[in-house]
């Protein structure tokens, strides 16, 4: 049984919840691996922070591929507002990235 076409995009956003948890696991694991395991995150070089951000951001954004696929299918079926779940998901991913970028910059500037 497939979900109603109008609801499929919204259901696909639920995948952002486990992908957020996985993004934190990937980010912390990669930072620990590259820093040698015992170094606090405040002592990481900028390039490690950038690499961790790209990896965690990619993991968190991965469900947007399914949301875009569903939105394209719904648009072809003539359903209005098909891209709204994608826009909301992209805003959540953008917020995640902005928060982490600002946090990284503050850690580099303030020590």
């Amino acid at each position: 049984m497939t979900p109603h076409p109008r609801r499929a995009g919204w259901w696909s956003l639920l995948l952002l919840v486990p992908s957020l948890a996985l993004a934190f696991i990937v980010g912390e694991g990669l930072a620990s691996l590259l820093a040698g395991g015992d170094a606090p995150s405040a002592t990481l070089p900028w390039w490690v922070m950038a690499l961790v951000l790209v990896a965690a951001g990619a993991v968190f954004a991965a469900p947007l591929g399914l949301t875009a696929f569903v939105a394209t299918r719904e648009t072809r079926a003539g359903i209005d507002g098909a891209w709204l779940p994608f826009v909301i998901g992209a805003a959540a991913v953008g917020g995640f990235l902005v928060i982490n970028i600002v946090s990284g910059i503050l850690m580099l500037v303030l020590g």
Side-chain angles (χ1 to χ4, degrees):
M1 180 175 178
T2 59
H4 186 276
R6 181 80 167 126
R7 294 188 197 120
W10 295 106
W11 282 109
S12 68
L13 286 181
L14 286 178
L15 293 174
L16 287 175
V17 175
S19 73
L20 177 63
L22 190 58
F24 277 105
I25 291 169
V26 166
E28 291 297 322
L30 192 58
S32 177
L33 179 70
L34 293 174
D38 293 335
S41 61
T43 61
L44 294 177
W46 69 268
W47 63 270
V48 172
M49 288 183 183
L51 184 65
V52 167
L53 177 67
V54 169
V59 169
F60 187 44
L64 290 181
L66 175 63
T67 308
F69 171 77
V70 170
T72 302
R73 189 179 67 184
E74 290 177 356
T75 300
R76 287 183 185 150
I79 298 173
D80 292 332
W83 284 95
L84 185 59
F86 179 83
V87 169
I88 290 173
V93 171
F96 172 82
L97 293 174
V98 166
I99 287 171
N100 282 288
I101 289 170
V102 169
S103 172
I105 290 172
L106 288 175
M107 286 173 52
L108 289 172
V109 170
L110 300 177

